[in-house]
Amino acid sequence: MRRDATRRPRGSTRLTRAGRFGVAELRLSMAAPRPAAGLTSEWRLVDGLRTHTRRGADPATGAPPVVLVHGLAVSHRYLTPLAVALAATHPVYVPDLPGFGLTQRPRGAYDVQRHAEHLAAWLAAYRLPPVCLVGHSFGAEVAAALAANHPDAVRALVLAGPTSDPSARSRRALVGRWLVDNVREAPLQAPVLARDVWNARPWRVFATLSHSVHNTIEEDLVRITAPTMVLTGERDPIAPARWREQVTRLLPDADLVVVPGAAHNVATTDPTAVTVAIRHLLAPHPALTDR
């Protein structure tokens, strides 16, 4: 089922209006490890790696925790606007995957399955109850693998702009689609990407891209039991209409949500609409209250 995302009233997060990424978001995204907008940084040793997490305070609402998983070449930074929007009602965690952001860099670049196992170990280290796992882009591949392999850890799943479309499953094709998306995105996201690529190192970004195009996400999708939302921007060239509809059909229990006007980085440029969609997914119904 497809539905368009709705929006909360403006002003709830004191950020730039929906569909944009302004100076306020840029400052917020680049703040770590300093506290900002209720978010703080901490590190824990997970599978031998000093792993950074950006997190919000527990709002004491009894709502399940939400864990945001970043995409290729990036880190917690670009997901910060979404974390702030969600933190009013949910405990929010945004870990940096191994080698990215402020997490320790391992010697090699992890593939999807190894990132998923590291994230499973991270969940165990935090002793979290079953979470709502939100993966964006490459992070959706990692989230799908974790949900398929560790179903008891995942209460609900959001696959936002999932990669990679079989019709563009090569480095050249994905880079080409990224270039198309780049002109559709808010320009002030560029400094965040530059900082993230510098932290990760270009060779790791390229190696992780290679892992992504060799990962067959479809094999994980059909094994996922958690209620799932496939969420994309209407103008996302990396997860175009045919692919996002195919992803939704492969999942046993899924809805498709398309955010009008948004491109690939929908979680960054329209965090209000994405927050509303996540809260709708987690609204009490039997599949979730029984978990």
Side-chain angles (χ1 to χ4, degrees):
M1 176 188 298
R2 170 180 166 163
R3 59 186 175 87
D4 289 338
T6 56
R7 295 191 171 101
R8 288 190 300 173
R10 287 178 56 187
S12 58
T13 61
R14 297 186 180 181
L15 298 177
T16 302
R17 67 178 175 83
R20 296 185 60 187
F21 183 89
V23 173
E25 288 82 3
L26 177 60
R27 290 174 177 166
L28 184 62
S29 297
M30 303 289 261
R34 293 178 290 107
L39 302 181
T40 58
S41 287
E42 62 185 36
W43 284 262
R44 293 194 186 184
L45 196 65
V46 179
D47 275 355
L49 292 179
R50 192 167 179 262
T51 301
H52 171 259
T53 300
R54 197 71 166 158
R55 63 178 294 184
D58 188 343
T61 59
V66 179
V67 176
L68 310 181
V69 187
H70 65 78
L72 178 70
V74 285
S75 74
H76 73 277
R77 292 185 178 102
Y78 80 112
L79 294 174
T80 300
L82 178 58
V84 171
L86 284 164
T89 52
H90 293 267
V92 179
Y93 301 80
V94 197
D96 285 331
L97 296 174
F100 295 93
L102 302 180
T103 287
Q104 182 180 345
R105 294 191 293 269
R107 183 170 298 179
Y110 285 11
D111 63 10
V112 171
Q113 295 298 326
R114 195 167 182 191
H115 274 304
E117 290 308 307
H118 184 88
L119 189 56
W122 177 91
L123 289 171
Y126 273 82
R127 302 190 179 199
L128 294 177
V131 303
C132 174
L133 193 62
V134 182
H136 176 254
S137 198
F138 176 77
E141 297 184 59
V142 175
L146 189 150
N149 295 331
H150 301 275
D152 292 341
V154 180
R155 177 188 181 98
L157 179 66
V158 179
L159 302 178
T163 52
S164 59
D165 180 356
S167 67
R169 200 164 276 171
S170 70
R171 291 188 294 264
R172 177 178 294 181
L174 271 182
V175 169
R177 288 189 177 187
W178 177 80
L179 291 172
V180 172
D181 182 70
N182 197 45
V183 301
R184 301 179 181 179
E185 297 286 356
L188 279 180
Q189 293 179 87
V192 181
L193 176 61
R195 172 73 66 84
D196 283 337
V197 171
W198 171 255
N199 285 154
R201 304 298 188 257
W203 71 264
R204 188 182 306 277
V205 173
F206 185 80
T208 306
L209 175 61
S210 297
H211 287 313
S212 176
V213 299
H214 288 102
N215 179 59
T216 308
I217 189 175
E218 298 93 324
E219 295 177 1
D220 290 324
L221 296 177
V222 297
R223 297 190 295 121
I224 291 170
T225 58
T228 303
M229 174 172 63
V230 180
L231 184 145
T232 70
E234 181 183 34
R235 301 173 66 238
D236 184 351
I238 297 173
R242 183 178 297 179
W243 169 236
R244 60 200 183 219
E245 289 165 3
Q246 180 182 346
V247 170
T248 307
R249 287 194 302 270
L250 287 170
L251 288 155
D253 180 9
D255 284 335
L256 172 61
V257 175
V258 179
V259 179
H264 186 60
N265 288 348
V266 59
T268 305
T269 59
D270 209 339
T272 304
V274 175
T275 296
V276 169
I278 291 172
R279 288 175 179 155
H280 184 273
L281 173 68
L282 293 174
H285 59 79
L288 292 182
T289 55
D290 291 345
R291 293 180 73 85

